[in-house]
């Protein structure tokens, strides 16, 4: 079984595109997705940034929203510019990392990204995440409670440190063996690399 | 006649890829390339950067070289990591902007990028540019002399200011009508946009 390690951040606009595309791109393959939520905030801080570079560098930010609209349209992905950016993905990341083996995890990830980038809902608000969990048909309370445990917090902290050690500086990032691919633009290249390895 | 405005910087790695690709992508089309050399230095300075972001943010820089090697290989473009980065493209930009109407200008641009990114030659050195001009079969001295004129310096300064006003923050950048496309990754999208407008 070949695997693609998919490092993503719930606040990240281009992670949204990859989250919405990756499963259909891997359909009919034997490639397994290893979902790797992490936080960009601590990584940006090490670069001296206390906000998203899209906010710190306005021309780049203005372009990013335009580009994202064009890309979403091209891929047929629902998108509307959120009224708040970036939104804190800490709680959503903790829920994800505590439930990686659950059959519903990819649905939760997709729904949460869509809440942020298609429905303009604040994913930092536990009530928004509760609604998503309930919508999937889950018992939300124990999942939310569990996500606040120290061991879950530690898991996410370690994954963010691991991302930094791997040379990851933005999201989405894909790891194939020892090769890093950065950006939704490189998702197809990452998959091609994996398929080459399979031959 | 439809046109693509191609803003590039001689020091820019991803501009190299686009310079090497754009003419074959436009073959059999009626689209004309408007070559727009400009300087990223003054634009980076406005963002508080006194060097290339690939040097300021080492993880991003390390990844960029790896990514560039992969892309160049994919496209069949000769590439070797230059021993100095970024190299100053001021003189090459002035020669270009003073000779945009000449039939040899695209050859000069390609040869200069290849000197930097395939042959590891210092394009800031007038002798390197002189060799390129002579290699094309030109009388190099008057071209070099002309590039130092105040009116040529002013043209380049104005073009860099224009790039900034257009919202350009990196290179390569492509302008189709009022639409900005940034990065070698968006070159094909920019051309598609133009072809849509042609229909």
């Amino acid at each position: 079984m070949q695997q693609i390690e998919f490092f993503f951040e719930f606040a990240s606009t281009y992670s949204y595109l990859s989250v919405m595309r990756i499963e259909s791109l891997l359909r009919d393959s034997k490639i397994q997705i290893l979902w790797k939520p992490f936080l960009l905030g601590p990584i940006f801080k090490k670069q001296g940034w206390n906000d998203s570079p899209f906010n710190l560098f306005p021309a780049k930010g203005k372009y990013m929203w335009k580009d994202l609209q064009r890309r979403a349209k091209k891929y047929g992905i629902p998108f509307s510019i959120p009224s708040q950016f970036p939104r804190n993905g800490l709680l959503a990341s903790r829920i994800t990392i505590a439930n990686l083996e659950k059959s519903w995890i990819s649905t939760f990830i997709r729904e949460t990204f869509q809440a942020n980038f298609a429905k303009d809902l604040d994913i930092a608000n536990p009530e928004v995440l509760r609604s998503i969990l309930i919508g999937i048909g889950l018992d939300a309370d124990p999942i939310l409670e569990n996500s606040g445990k120290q061991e879950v917090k530690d898991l996410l902290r370690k994954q963010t440190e691991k991302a930094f050690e791997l040379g990851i500086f933005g999201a989405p990032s894909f790891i194939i063996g020892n090769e890093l691919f950065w950006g939704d633009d490189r998702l197809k290249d990452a998959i091609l690399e994996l398929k080459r390895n399979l031959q």
Side-chain angles (χ1 to χ4, degrees), chain A:
Chain A
M1 174 70 88
Q2 293 283 320
Q3 299 169 325
I4 182 165
E5 296 181 55
F6 177 8
F7 283 81
F8 63 95
E9 146 74 87
F10 279 100
S12 148
T13 49
Y14 290 101
S15 292
Y16 173 50
L17 297 185
S18 290
V19 160
M20 299 301 283
R21 296 171 65 220
I22 192 166
E23 286 167 295
S24 69
L25 286 173
L26 292 179
R27 198 171 294 148
D28 304 322
S29 82
K30 290 179 179 169
I31 298 166
Q32 185 192 6
I33 303 167
L34 299 183
W35 301 99
K36 302 272 182 178
F38 75 112
L39 300 179
L40 272 174
I43 288 174
F44 285 164
K45 275 213 180 75
K46 292 191 191 198
Q47 296 184 173
W49 300 341
N50 57 6
D51 194 352
S52 162
F54 296 128
N55 289 337
L56 292 175
F57 310 112
K60 193 164 189 170
K62 188 181 167 199
Y63 172 79
M64 179 275 287
W65 293 116
K66 178 80 190 170
D67 185 58
L68 211 75
Q69 286 174 311
R70 285 194 299 230
R71 293 262 118 182
K73 191 176 168 196
K74 174 176 176 161
Y75 294 136
I77 296 169
F79 172 73
S80 88
I81 297 180
S83 55
Q84 190 193 342
F85 178 82
R87 285 192 169 119
N88 191 324
L90 179 66
L91 181 53
S93 300
R94 286 179 178 163
I95 291 173
T96 304
I97 208 162
N99 294 283
L100 290 173
E101 304 307 319
K102 305 284 166 48
S103 62
W104 49 265
I105 197 64
S106 61
T107 307
F108 172 77
I109 293 167
R110 268 197 320 275
E111 292 282 334
T112 303
F113 269 98
Q114 285 189 281
N116 191 2
F117 293 114
K119 298 172 187 168
D120 197 18
L121 296 171
D122 185 5
I123 58 165
N125 182 345
E127 294 313 310
V128 168
L129 298 182
R130 180 190 305 276
S131 289
I132 291 170
L133 292 166
I134 292 169
I136 302 173
L138 299 165
D139 188 2
D141 284 336
I143 293 169
L144 285 165
E145 204 171 302
N146 179 58
S147 70
K149 286 188 183 156
Q150 192 58 45
E151 63 193 78
V152 173
K153 294 179 180 178
D154 290 345
L155 269 180
L156 183 62
R157 192 176 301 119
K158 275 178 198 156
Q159 185 131 292
T160 297
E161 282 164 15
K162 177 74 182 170
F164 183 75
E165 284 161 20
L166 286 167
I168 288 174
F169 53 90
S173 287
F174 311 96
I175 304 270
I176 309 295
N178 295 315
E179 297 273 305
L180 169 63
F181 294 83
W182 169 56
D184 181 66
D185 294 324
R186 293 294 180 273
L187 173 53
K188 279 194 169 180
D189 285 333
I191 294 171
L192 273 177
E193 172 79 11
L194 244 183
K195 290 185 174 168
R196 255 196 300 272
N197 296 351
L198 283 173
Q199 284 166 354

